[in-house]
């Protein structure tokens, strides 16, 4: 089935969200910080801290965020509400500087995942289905460049392809046995792959926070940029998935590539 004009425009909008503006560029544009200087100022030991905090944050978010949402039909997502919530956590965490990361990140990530799930529901996703929940987590792997990419920027469908096997195995495991991380290698493997890319964005956020901006107020503002970035990623991702339910994934991907 060929995509009609409206669907093509929706796909063009989704591609603009997913491909054109990185999180680092958004920070630089919003605050004008010397970004490389911030990255250099991060202590070496923080790479391990970021890795562990990122995996923990994603695990807790997957366990708790979607539980608080009802299964209601499509309706506009509450973007502003979630931005205000993550603004508050940024203000609290910013008061403790980089040391507050292990406490602040899981809370902020859970709020962001809830916002992502809200966007997903607004695009017709059945968020109680395991595959849809994992598609929400998948958003954290989008819109950033991973150190594992050997310096190459991976496009949207390249990231989805890289995660496709892991997400299928994790969804099957959850459907059969429920969401339990102890003894759940497929889920842990999927979380690890997402965390490796999400951690890059976390490093970028911390680099901005490492440069004196305005204390807790600066950290809160960065959290707004953080949330805005992943709301954009979520909107683009779930527009594509909605179009794939109407047309075939092959048609959507071919059209997306040609735009």
């Amino acid at each position: 089935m060929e995509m009609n004009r409206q669907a093509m425009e929706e796909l063009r909008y989704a591609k603009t969200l997913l491909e054109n503006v990185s999180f680092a560029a958004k920070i630089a544009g919003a605050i004008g910080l010397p970004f490389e200087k911030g990255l250099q100022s991060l202590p070496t030991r923080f790479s391990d801290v970021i890795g562990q905090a990122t995996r923990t944050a994603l695990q807790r978010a997957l366990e708790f965020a979607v539980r608080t949402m009802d299964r209601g039909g499509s309706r506009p997502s509450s973007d502003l509400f979630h931005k205000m919530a993550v603004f508050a956590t940024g203000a609290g965490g910013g008061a403790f500087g980089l040391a507050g990361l292990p406490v602040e990140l899981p809370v902020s990530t859970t709020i962001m995942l809830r916002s992502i799930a809200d966007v997903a529901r607004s695009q017709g996703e059945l968020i109680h289905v395991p595959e849809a929940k994992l598609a929400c987590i998948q958003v954290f792997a989008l819109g950033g460049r991973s150190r594992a990419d050997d310096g190459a920027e991976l496009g949207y469908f390249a990231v989805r392809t890289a995660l496709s096997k892991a997400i299928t195995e994790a969804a099957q495991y959850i459907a059969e046995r429920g969401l339990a991380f102890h003894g759940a290698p497929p889920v842990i493997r999927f979380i690890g792959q997402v965390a490796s890319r999400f951690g890059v964005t976390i490093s970028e956020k911390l680099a901005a926070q490492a440069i004196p901006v305005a204390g807790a107020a600066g950290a809160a503002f960065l959290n707004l940029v953080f949330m805005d970035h992943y709301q954009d990623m979520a909107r683009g991702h779930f527009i594509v998935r909605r179009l794939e339910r109407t047309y075939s994934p092959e048609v959507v991907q071919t059209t997306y590539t040609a735009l």
Side-chain angles (χ1 to χ4, degrees), residues 50-63 102 106 191 195:
I50 289 169
Q52 181 57 50
T54 303
R55 288 189 294 273
T56 300
L58 289 173
Q59 289 176 8
R60 291 180 181 175
L62 181 58
E63 288 181 280
I191 290 290

Side-chain angles (χ1 to χ4, degrees), residues 1-255:
M1 183 189 299
E2 227 175 82
M3 297 181 70
N4 61 35
R5 182 181 295 275
Q6 181 180 342
M8 289 271 287
E9 288 307 310
E10 287 185 300
L11 189 61
R12 188 185 305 277
Y13 172 60
K15 184 170 184 176
T16 299
L17 293 175
L18 290 164
E19 304 281 1
N20 288 353
V21 184
S22 71
F23 178 68
K26 286 185 178 180
I27 289 180
I31 309 176
L33 290 175
F35 205 69
E36 291 74 14
K37 182 180 177 181
L39 284 172
Q40 292 169 4
S41 69
L42 288 177
T44 305
R45 65 182 179 84
F46 262 85
S47 59
D48 294 333
V49 175
I50 289 169
Q52 181 57 50
T54 303
R55 288 189 294 273
T56 300
L58 289 173
Q59 289 176 8
R60 291 180 181 175
L62 181 58
E63 288 181 280
F64 298 117
V66 182
R67 291 183 187 177
T68 62
M69 298 185 68
D70 59 61
R71 300 185 182 186
S74 301
R75 58 176 179 270
S77 55
S78 304
D79 293 354
L80 182 59
F81 169 78
H82 292 108
K83 283 178 179 175
M84 292 301 98
V86 86
F87 180 89
T89 64
F96 298 96
L98 298 180
L101 174 72
V103 176
E104 187 263 339
L105 183 60
V107 177
S108 295
T109 303
T110 300
I111 295 171
M112 283 193 291
L113 182 62
R114 196 183 188 286
S115 180
I116 288 167
D118 197 24
V119 172
R121 183 175 58 184
S122 76
Q123 296 295 327
E125 293 281 344
L126 302 175
I127 58 171
H128 58 284
V129 175
E131 197 270 340
K133 292 179 182 179
L134 295 174
C136 291
I137 289 285
Q138 189 178 34
V139 169
F140 290 113
L142 304 175
R145 186 169 64 197
S146 169
R147 294 181 181 89
D149 297 341
D150 296 325
E153 188 75 47
L154 284 184
Y156 168 68
F157 277 103
V159 174
R160 280 186 62 178
T161 299
L163 293 172
S164 60
K165 181 179 179 182
I167 199 171
T168 298
E169 291 175 349
Q172 183 177 355
Y173 184 96
I174 294 172
E176 292 174 354
R177 309 187 191 185
L179 187 56
F181 283 99
H182 298 293
V187 181
I188 296 296
R189 187 160 50 248
F190 171 68
I191 290 290
Q193 289 185 18
V194 174
S196 68
R197 296 185 62 82
F198 184 43
V200 175
T201 307
I202 297 299
S203 298
E204 293 169 346
K205 177 176 177 287
L206 287 178
Q209 287 182 216
I211 303 170
V213 184
F221 180 73
L222 284 169
N223 264 21
L224 280 182
V225 180
F226 202 40
M227 175 67 89
D228 182 72
H229 174 71
Y230 281 110
Q231 285 177 343
D232 282 351
M233 293 300 104
R235 187 154 286 107
H237 180 48
F238 290 108
I239 287 173
V240 171
R241 283 174 57 89
R242 172 170 56 77
L243 292 173
E244 287 175 342
R245 292 192 294 272
T246 303
Y247 304 92
S248 72
E250 292 77 17
V251 167
V252 173
Q253 182 172 354
T254 300
T255 307

